[in-house]
């Protein structure tokens, strides 16, 4: 069952086409990794999914209910079913509230439980995210970055949502604590079985956490596949370029492997290229790529999809790495 189904979602900020016709699904108990360069529209998509910004057009079906066009009043009782963990916990936690109130706030807003039940829920969540009970009395500025992000995770999960959107949840943290937060999200997701849209530019984090991966470029999805298939048999040239640029923890192998160096800069979302949006940087582009928009279609024997004119129906195509 799909917890989240996004259908042809569009979000324009004036002339900026940040998200331009994205469709994807996340099923119950699944982690979908959403990857791409800065400026690809990943964060905007996450904010649209959680209705933090209004959408231009398209559908966002949350547990089969289209929330894309709902008013604030009609959306409010549904918000308990989805939540978001932001990139920077320092700016997403209220500095004037103690941790206990921060975690309990969704429960209070949605009128879930009695005061005593909320206190018990806060104690349970602090334990689940690996924080000591005395943290409940502290304020965000008294905590480390890793502790603040654990509080953010606890708050996001307090109302037991069916979907968690994690928007670059480790990028603002020290390298030494990034792994512990990733492990925490992975453990909680395995235990609680919520659906998760995990947004990141870190391919290693996606390989560790996600079961499926969607690759985004300049406002559109160019490829989706299972984790194993995407990392072993990437089909879209952009996906192959991303993987070739990702560091690997083996210095001799890192030095020996080939890397795809893309020409030019990412085009402006104000005036994206015609046809395939990647054709201006693609090393194997043909004339058709500049004229016709490639359809995101299913290829090969699996459920993988790719938007590339050069990939055949059986999934074979250009191999750059």
């Amino acid at each position: 069952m799909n917890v989240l189904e996004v259908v042809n979602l569009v979000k324009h900020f004036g002339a900026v086409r940040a998200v331009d016709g994205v469709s994807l699904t996340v099923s119950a108990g699944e982690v979908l990794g959403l990857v791409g360069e800065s400026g690809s529209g990943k964060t905007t998509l996450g904010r649209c999914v959680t209705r933090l910004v209004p959408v231009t057009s398209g559908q966002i079906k949350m547990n089969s209910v289209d929330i894309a066009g709902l008013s604030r009043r009609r959306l409010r009782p549904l918000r308990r079913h989805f939540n978001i963990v932001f990139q920077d916990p320092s700016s997403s936690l209220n500095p004037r509230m103690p941790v206990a109130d921060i975690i309990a706030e969704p429960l209070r807003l949605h009128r879930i439980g009695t005061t005593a039940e909320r206190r018990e829920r806060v104690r349970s969540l602090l334990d689940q995210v690996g924080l000591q009970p005395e943290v409940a009395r502290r304020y965000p500025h008294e905590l480390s970055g890793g502790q603040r992000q654990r509080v953010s995770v606890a708050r996001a999960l307090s109302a037991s949502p069916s979907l968690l959107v994690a928007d670059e949840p480790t990028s603002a943290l020290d390298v030494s604590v990034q792994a512990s937060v990733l492990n925490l999200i992975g453990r909680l997701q395995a235990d609680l079985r919520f659906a998760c849209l995990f947004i990141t530019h870190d391919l290693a984090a996606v390989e560790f956490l996600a079961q499926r991966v969607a690759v985004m470029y300049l406002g559109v999805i160019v490829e989706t596949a299972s984790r194993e298939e995407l990392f072993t048999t990437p089909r879209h040239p952009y996906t192959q370029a991303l993987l070739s640029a990702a560091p690997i923890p083996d210095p001799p192998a890192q030095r020996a492997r080939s890397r795809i160096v893309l020409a030019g800069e990412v085009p402006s979302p104000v005036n994206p290229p015609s046809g395939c949006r990647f054709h201006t940087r693609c090393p194997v582009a043909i004339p058709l790529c500049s004229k016709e928009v490639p359809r995101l279609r299913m290829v090969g024997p699996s459920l993988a999809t790719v938007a590339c004119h050069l990939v055949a129906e059986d999934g074979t195509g250009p191999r750059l790495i």
Side-chain angles (χ1 to χ4, degrees), residues 13-206:
F13 296 97
V16 178
R17 298 160 67 173
V19 177
D20 215 15
V22 165
S23 297
L24 55 79
T25 62
V26 188
S27 61
E30 179 186 46
V31 179
L32 174 69
L34 181 65
V35 299
E37 294 171 283
S38 296
S40 62
K42 307 185 304 296
T43 289
T44 299
L45 178 59
R47 289 172 180 263
C48 286
V49 163
T50 50
R51 281 293 312 272
L52 295 179
V53 295
V55 304
T56 302
S57 63
Q59 295 180 313
I60 305 167
K61 295 181 181 179
M62 197 75 63
N63 295 318
S64 301
V65 177
D66 185 6
I67 66 170
L70 293 184
S71 65
R72 285 188 178 183
R73 181 181 62 82
R74 294 182 62 194
L75 182 64
R76 182 167 182 169
L78 301 177
R79 281 197 173 277
R80 63 174 293 181
H81 300 297
F82 55 93
N83 216 327
I84 186 169
V85 175
F86 295 99
Q87 177 176 342
D88 185 4
S90 299
S91 60
S92 63
L93 300 179
N94 190 330
R96 294 186 173 89
M97 292 174 66
V99 166
D101 290 349
I102 289 172
I103 296 175
E105 187 174 27
L107 301 174
R108 180 179 58 80
L109 291 175
H110 294 294
R111 300 177 181 177
I112 300 172
T114 63
T115 301
E117 288 169 338
R118 292 171 194 164
R119 281 199 297 266
E120 181 55 36
R121 177 66 172 156
V122 169
R123 282 194 290 268
S124 174
L125 284 163
L126 285 173
D127 180 63
Q128 284 182 292
V129 300
L131 293 174
Q132 296 299 316
E134 57 267 23
V135 171
R137 299 187 296 273
R138 297 181 186 172
Y139 288 82
H141 72 272
E142 299 178 286
L143 306 177
S144 68
Q147 288 175 318
R148 285 194 289 267
Q149 197 60 298
R150 288 171 183 267
V151 171
S152 297
V153 172
R155 176 183 62 182
L157 296 178
S158 63
S160 301
S162 53
L163 174 73
L164 177 70
V165 175
D167 182 15
E168 301 270 13
T170 61
S171 62
L173 304 177
D174 293 338
V175 174
S176 58
V177 298
Q178 288 180 0
S180 66
V181 172
L182 279 178
N183 282 323
L184 170 68
I185 295 173
R187 176 175 57 78
L188 290 172
Q189 195 276 332
D191 290 345
L192 303 176
R193 304 300 296 165
F194 52 82
C196 179
L197 178 61
F198 180 67
I199 301 169
T200 185
H201 65 276
D202 186 346
L203 288 167
V206 166

